[in-house]
Amino acid sequence: MRLVLAAIALTLAAPAIAAPAPKVATTSFAQLKTPLPLPYDEAANAKAQVAAARARAKAQHKLLLIDLGGNWCLDCRLLAGTMELPELRGFLAKHYEIVTVDVGRFDKNLDIAAQYGLNGHFGGGVPSVLIIDPKTNALKNAGRTAALADARTLSPQALADWLAGWTK
């Protein structure tokens, strides 16, 4: 009986487990559809887009993913191309409301990054990916927002695993 109670207590104390990442068949970025996407709209009203995405995320009980980057950035475009893979696209749509924000050459929309504690070159470059709890507007991945800034050194599966790691 004590073992059963201990097991129940341990289960209740354990952190929420992230949803498992889908298996990505693409093993190399060279296999991505070309040309790679240009995901950042330079003329967009980023503040309005972020606010609308946050409202949708909150209403749909999803996380908000803010992708800060620029179309000049290969790592940003590799991330975007990977996120468009069919096996990952559905997973992301289920768990995230995604908005891309053009930061130019670190001279545009910096107020959005600053709202979540990021300044300057975001401590590691772009893409800087912000995982936000839309209910509290709190940054869930503080200290790890630039983890994908060297996306080209990873694999499509590693990117999928990282993105899945924040879901529950």
Side-chain angles (χ1 to χ4, degrees):
M1 181 68 162
R2 284 186 183 174
L3 287 176
V4 171
L5 291 175
I8 291 171
L10 184 59
T11 301
L12 293 175
I17 297 174
K23 179 71 175 146
V24 176
T26 303
T27 58
S28 164
F29 294 124
Q31 296 171 305
L32 293 176
K33 181 181 170 189
T34 57
L36 289 170
L38 299 169
Y40 306 95
D41 183 352
E42 296 173 4
N45 180 338
K47 283 183 186 178
Q49 287 184 325
V50 169
R54 180 176 175 219
R56 287 190 306 270
K58 189 174 181 181
Q60 297 171 12
H61 307 288
K62 296 179 183 181
L63 294 170
L64 172 61
L65 187 155
I66 303 174
D67 174 1
L68 303 167
N71 289 330
W72 55 267
C73 169
L74 176 60
D75 295 298
C76 298
R77 295 179 68 194
L78 289 172
L79 175 61
T82 302
M83 290 170 68
E84 288 184 3
L85 292 171
E87 58 266 44
L88 188 52
R89 188 178 332 135
F91 175 87
L92 294 173
K94 179 179 177 181
H95 295 282
Y96 291 105
E97 188 64 39
I98 300 170
V99 61
T100 58
V101 174
D102 177 45
V103 296
R105 298 278 181 167
F106 301 101
D107 59 0
K108 288 177 63 178
N109 298 313
L110 301 183
D111 53 335
I112 293 171
Q115 179 180 348
Y116 298 102
L118 302 174
N119 296 305
H121 288 269
F122 312 138
V126 291
S128 281
V129 178
L130 313 180
I131 309 296
I132 309 295
D133 177 342
K135 293 175 197 152
T136 63
N137 206 30
L139 180 64
K140 292 181 58 122
N141 65 322
R144 290 173 262 168
T145 58
L148 304 182
D150 61 352
R152 71 186 88 186
T153 66
L154 303 172
S155 68
Q157 185 64 56
L159 292 179
D161 293 342
W162 190 89
L163 292 166
W166 301 102
T167 63
K168 54 180 172 171

